[in-house]
Amino acid sequence: MGCRKRAPVTDLLRVVARSGALVPDPRRRLPGRGASLHPTPECLRAAERRRAFVRALRLPGGGSAPVEAGPLRAHVLGAPSPAPASAGPEAGDRDRTTDRNHTVGSAPGRSARREQDVVG
């Protein structure tokens, strides 16, 4: 979207609009119209400069209403997101392998490539 280069969908980050904010959807599960871009700062800046999100997501206002890109910017730039209050050292262990045939928190048949796209 930002750089206008074609790439496999597995290399792109899906973005949706929620309550006036651009939200990353790395699992590609959130409902609604989505837009895809490379998860790089350069591509994000280009998309913001061109106002591509408003057009791609078909947001009302035609570009006159500003869209909050904070959550998306934090995801792309790698800013640490605040951890939930209940998250302790064990919280990250949920996705660890419990036995060699089953991984907790992932669907059977998921590839390793898709698993690395999952954000905390």
Side-chain angles (χ1 to χ4, degrees), residues 28-91:
R28 300 182 167 279
R29 300 283 191 274
L30 294 176
R33 186 171 182 86
S36 297
L37 79 152
H38 292 98
T40 63
E42 298 81 21
C43 193
L44 175 62
R45 279 193 286 272
E48 288 178 315
R49 186 181 65 245
R50 293 179 37 242
R51 289 175 274 194
F53 292 111
V54 175
R55 285 192 308 274
L57 297 172
R58 297 183 184 170
L59 298 175
S64 62
V67 180
E68 173 59 42
L72 175 61
R73 196 174 294 121
H75 179 83
V76 170
L77 299 178
S81 60
S86 63
E90 305 83 34

